[in-house]
Amino acid sequence: MARLVPVDDPADERLADYVRLRDVSLRRHLETEQGLFIAEGEKVIRRALEAGYRPRSFLLAERWLAGLADLLADHPDVEVYVVGEALAEQVTGFHVHRGALASLHRQQRHTVADLLALRRLVVCEDVVDHTNVGAILRSAAGLGFDGCLLAPRAADPLYRRSVKVSMGAVFSLPWARLEDWAEAVPTLRAAGFWTVALALSEDARDLSEVAAEAAADPGRRVALLLGTEGDGLSRRWVEQADVVARIPMARGIDSLNVAAAAAVACYAFGPSA
């Protein structure tokens, strides 16, 4: 049986894991210090638990108890805080329209060395928006890439917004954080990857042409380099890459959002390419 705990006080200390979920600086400190992350929505919670992440607690509106009953029964020692939706909004700082949250223990499941042993990677330089990181992970997972490496300043894949946008892909796609930004591209090349920088350089080649070259060599290992939202890839990474590619655009638009560009590139270089 689940340990149902009705809570009617937004200041109840047992709800501390869920406080001010939109306050990025607070959450970064709290989640790192406590070793936790938040999953939102029934599907994402289910995928997190099925992937083996251990729950600390659940925060649920009563209407979600039946739908999650099987998962709650699997964790009879974990408290389920049952709250009204108005109280959930007071605690979290936004309207939790899905009415279901879980606090889970963080795990770093893969190392950089693990990722360097794979075949197709996306590499995020300084992608700082959590929504974009989540979308990139979802595209990479869904379009046949094997993993994601993140530069030191890239956004946290286990931040609530990243997890939600990825629809749980963060739990299935291997990822790790690079320690040395300056040596990232040389490290990839030394590991045998053909590094493809997505950038607007004058010497950039058409993405489809570059993807066709990769497809002609079935053994070629590919790392797609993706840059920050405003300025794109740094000059250092562009100059260190084996090749620079761009997506042809129309109507005076120079480029796509980094998450959209990642989806196009992952499709171009995917298993069926």
Side-chain angles (χ1 to χ4, degrees):
M1 294 290 291
R3 294 177 60 188
L4 304 183
V5 182
V7 179
D8 57 13
D9 180 1
D12 193 311
E13 292 184 357
R14 292 173 295 184
L15 305 184
D17 285 3
Y18 304 96
V19 169
R20 290 162 54 189
L21 294 183
R22 280 188 169 173
D23 188 328
V24 177
S25 60
L26 170 69
R27 298 306 306 183
R28 184 182 296 118
H29 172 74
L30 174 64
E31 295 185 13
T32 300
E33 182 181 83
Q34 298 295 325
L36 66 93
F37 71 96
I38 300 295
E40 177 185 355
E42 180 185 4
K43 286 184 179 179
V44 174
I45 292 172
R46 188 173 293 278
R47 288 172 182 172
L49 295 176
E50 289 174 349
Y53 286 89
R54 295 186 299 112
R56 289 163 56 98
S57 66
F58 299 91
L59 182 72
L60 303 177
E62 188 170 353
R63 64 190 175 94
W64 287 108
L65 294 176
L68 288 168
D70 59 322
L71 295 182
L72 302 181
D74 288 339
H75 301 279
D77 295 329
V78 178
E79 293 188 331
V80 181
Y81 303 124
V82 183
V83 300
E85 295 189 25
L87 186 141
E89 184 172 350
Q90 284 182 273
V91 172
T92 63
F94 70 104
H95 179 57
V96 188
H97 68 282
R98 296 180 186 274
L101 295 166
S103 173
L104 302 108
H105 293 276
R106 278 182 177 256
Q107 299 175 23
Q108 183 57 56
R109 296 183 160 187
H110 300 91
T111 66
V112 172
D114 293 334
L115 274 291
L116 293 178
L118 303 177
R119 182 167 176 264
R120 291 177 187 265
L121 301 177
V122 291
V123 188
C124 298
E125 186 178 19
D126 288 333
V127 180
V128 297
D129 184 272
H130 293 97
T131 297
N132 284 334
V133 166
I136 289 168
L137 286 166
R138 185 175 182 179
S139 293
L143 295 170
F145 269 61
D146 302 314
C148 176
L149 285 170
L150 301 115
R153 291 192 294 267
D156 178 12
L158 287 180
Y159 181 70
R160 176 187 61 86
R161 187 67 181 166
S162 300
V163 172
K164 180 180 178 181
V165 172
S166 81
M167 284 303 294
V170 65
F171 307 136
S172 60
L173 185 77
W175 60 269
R177 192 174 291 279
L178 294 156
E179 294 183 2
D180 190 340
W181 163 82
E183 292 301 314
V185 179
T187 297
L188 286 160
R189 295 181 66 184
F193 283 92
W194 194 46
T195 51
V196 180
L198 290 185
L200 302 180
S201 303
E202 291 184 4
D203 62 342
R205 295 165 57 190
D206 188 299
L207 176 68
S208 60
E209 175 189 321
V210 177
E213 182 178 340
D217 180 3
R220 182 170 297 189
R221 300 164 73 215
V222 175
L224 294 178
L225 311 182
L226 306 169
T228 189
E229 290 82 358
D231 298 325
L233 280 170
S234 65
R235 180 180 296 275
R236 185 186 188 102
W237 277 31
V238 171
E239 292 178 347
Q240 290 178 336
D242 291 301
V243 63
V244 183
R246 67 180 299 169
I247 300 169
M249 305 297 294
R251 294 185 173 84
I253 306 299
D254 65 350
S255 64
L256 299 174
N257 163 273
V258 64
V264 172
C266 285
Y267 179 77
F269 282 91
S272 60

